[in-house]
Amino acid sequence: MVYGLARRELRPRVPLRPGEGDKHRLTSLEGLAALSLDALSSVAYGPEAIVLALVVAGTGALTATLPITLAITFLLAALVVSYGQVIAVHPDGGGAYAVAKADLGATASLLAAASLVVDYVLTVAVSLAAGADALASAFPALAGDKLLVCLVGLALLAAVNLRGVTESARVLMLPTVLFVVAILGVILLGLLRAHPLAVVGTARPVHATEALTALVVLKAFSSGCSALTGVEAIANAVPTFREPRVRRAQRTELMLGALLGTMLIGLAVLIHRDRVAPRGGVTVLAQLTAGAYGTGWPYYATNLVVTLVLGLAANTSFGGLPVLMSLLARDHRLPHLFGLRAERPVYRYGVVALALLAALLLLATDADTHRLLPLFAIGVFIGFTLSQLGLVRHWAARRPPGWRRRALINGTGAVLTTLAGVILLFSKFLSGAWVVVLAVPLLMLLFARIQRYYTEVGEELGLGRIPEPPPRRTASLVIVPIGEVSELARHAVGAALALGDEVVAVAVHADPARSRALEEAWARWDPGVRLDIIDSPHRSLVQPVVAYVQRAAADGRQVAVLIPEVEPRHRRYEILQNQRGLLLATVLRARTDVVVCLLPYRLKL
């Protein structure tokens, strides 16, 4: 103690790189914006899917919209509680994949991973396509450019996410608030009005082709369950939250469940009361918006916000799939490059892969929402079911306090999601669900083959085993390809002399006069290194050097080839440099076992 100051322990502090530290991770509200828009925005097509399934039994069947929505909301509550438990048990993220790997075995984890990959890619495609539909509801002239609108939106979204999920969360905060306020406004004003304020779209004749049977109700229930997609995204991306991560992620999951349930029930009440049937050129949500706000500027503003949020809802996948792919890469089920992060906490290879796959899917379906929806929910329900079955097994094996209640919640949710998934599969199989049935096993096979490859490579490399002592040091030879006597040659020869016991410079010339001039210049310079000139009548550079290296390495010596490369200061000048060095290095690596080194010579220009 000196002058009342306590002695302080000095510890070195390492500065964080850009993208590290809690300030670059998500708060609960930012997580709601970045990871929940898929689920929240599904109110734009989930209720409509119920209406389309019921209207085959006539407009009178639309009264079943509300009880079906209440059943879906009950399932939503079970899923929210279940995924809150998933977050606590698996705080490293991964969701259904992490649960299946820990509690259900290798095959189930492969199934979960494949279904989640399909789900995430389809989430991007469906969100963008539905956004284009909402835009066309307000501006019919854009109906013919839906694919272009989707691709532009996808490119912008990928660019934002390549900068980092935190930045994208901040971008999404305002649209999320506007969307929630707009939808709650539609519900409140719609309930306060005795009848719709305006009607939009063109009338379509409704002819009942079926009776309102249990099968029709079950089809409507399974179709409406598309509104539950995205509930799992928060559990998949727990590592992106600030500390305490588990508590923040669980709070975000609860906020998502409360908002989504409120909006689904509110819209279902309006559909039930006004018997809103499909009309030409507009969505069901656009009809409800016109009924609440009229056709003035609030109608157009709401449709624009819905369009924006549906487009941005794909951000859920950009926040979740790259993290999942990094987990698969860590488990050797995807190429390891998917586990690499940039300086910002972004798995950029995963972001790029997701953008490319979604673009291909949009091109293949011409951005048609109704062609995408049958593919959409199959993978989602597989993930839901596996995560809940895995938690049932987790509670039964560990038996913590209250485990029976938790297992009952998860078991009930598993039964409901299995029922919905089976109904959706059989009812939509010929409409496109067969594609998912084919894609999921193929992805499982791909993951398994990649894992087997890494296992065999590990065996061959002896990973995890102590190797034999290295061979004793032998004389080494460093070969330096050169073109002429210059500062570049001096730079390369100097580096080679520091690396090996013997250094030899090699030049290839087709012109005897130039060969003699090089020999004379070399003799005047006299760097203390032998120069071998190879005659090449056909003006080939690479093959003569490769043959020379192969002969030099034939006696078992350790041979290294040091290739000098000119690097301009500005990247725009790179095209002005020849790429023979890179070509030579590529061929040497393919045809020999020698050490190949590229030595940069950086210009000031």
Side-chain angles (χ1 to χ4, degrees), residues 213-227:
T213 61
L215 181 59
V216 172
V217 172
L218 288 175
K219 286 182 179 180
F221 170 78
S222 61
S223 297
C225 282
S226 60

Side-chain angles (χ1 to χ4, degrees), residues 133-475:
D133 286 339
L135 187 63
S137 296
F139 305 99
L142 296 175
D145 298 318
K146 284 175 51 181
L147 179 59
L148 179 60
V149 170
C150 290
L151 293 177
V152 171
L154 177 61
L156 292 175
L157 198 58
V160 169
N161 276 272
L162 285 173
R163 290 189 54 82
V165 69
T166 303
E167 283 78 0
S168 64
R170 291 167 184 161
V171 169
L172 295 171
M173 285 292 291
L174 180 60
T176 303
V177 172
L178 292 176
F179 175 78
V180 172
V181 170
I183 299 300
L184 293 179
V186 168
I187 295 170
L188 291 176
L189 289 177
L191 291 175
L192 290 175
R193 299 187 189 282
H195 54 81
L197 190 61
V199 177
V200 293
T202 56
R204 286 180 179 176
V206 176
H207 302 290
T209 57
E210 299 182 36
L212 185 59
T213 61
L215 181 59
V216 172
V217 172
L218 288 175
K219 286 182 179 180
F221 170 78
S222 61
S223 297
C225 282
S226 60
L228 302 179
T229 57
V231 174
E232 76 289 349
I234 296 169
N236 292 339
V238 179
T240 62
F241 283 88
R242 293 184 187 179
E243 294 290 353
R245 295 178 185 174
V246 170
R247 192 179 308 165
R248 288 185 186 275
Q250 288 175 329
R251 189 183 305 140
T252 305
E253 191 78 50
L254 288 173
M255 289 191 294
L256 165 63
L259 282 173
L260 179 57
T262 300
M263 291 191 292
L264 286 175
I265 293 174
L267 294 176
V269 170
L270 291 176
I271 294 171
H272 170 86
R273 188 195 67 181
D274 299 332
R275 296 193 179 183
V276 178
R279 294 176 66 87
V282 294
T283 63
V284 168
L285 182 59
Q287 294 183 60
L288 296 175
T289 303
Y293 294 139
T295 55
W297 70 264
Y299 170 76
Y300 290 97
T302 300
N303 276 285
L304 287 174
V305 170
V306 170
T307 300
L308 176 62
V309 169
L310 277 166
L312 296 178
N315 192 76
T316 301
S317 291
F318 281 102
L321 183 58
V323 174
L324 174 64
M325 296 179 83
S326 73
L327 295 176
L328 287 168
R330 188 178 66 188
D331 293 337
H332 313 300
R333 290 173 170 175
L334 274 181
H336 288 168
L337 61 87
F338 287 105
L340 300 177
R341 289 198 323 173
E343 285 190 352
R344 296 174 183 269
V346 180
Y347 298 101
R348 289 184 173 172
Y349 289 102
V351 170
V352 172
L354 174 56
L356 292 176
L357 290 173
L360 290 175
L361 189 58
L362 287 168
L363 289 169
T365 59
D366 198 28
D368 188 341
T369 308
H370 297 296
R371 291 175 63 184
L372 289 166
L373 278 176
L375 315 177
F376 192 23
I378 303 296
V380 179
F381 287 118
I382 292 174
F384 285 166
T385 303
L386 289 174
S387 64
Q388 292 177 103
L389 287 177
L391 281 182
V392 169
R393 189 166 182 178
H394 173 85
W395 305 130
R398 290 160 179 78
R399 302 197 174 192
W403 71 272
R404 294 180 186 276
R405 174 179 54 82
R406 298 175 184 178
L408 178 62
I409 293 173
N410 298 138
T412 302
V415 171
L416 292 175
T417 54
T418 300
L419 177 64
V422 170
I423 294 170
L424 185 62
L425 175 62
F426 281 98
S427 62
K428 303 294 185 181
F429 185 83
L430 296 179
S431 300
W434 63 270
V435 176
V436 178
V437 175
L438 182 64
V440 168
L442 289 177
L443 282 173
M444 293 175 65
L445 178 63
L446 175 65
F447 297 154
R449 292 292 298 270
I450 291 174
Q451 186 175 23
R452 187 173 71 181
Y453 168 81
Y454 279 126
T455 301
E456 292 175 354
V457 169
E459 286 294 324
E460 186 172 339
L461 295 178
L463 298 180
R465 300 195 303 267
I466 303 299
E468 297 179 357
R472 293 184 177 179
R473 186 177 185 276
T474 59

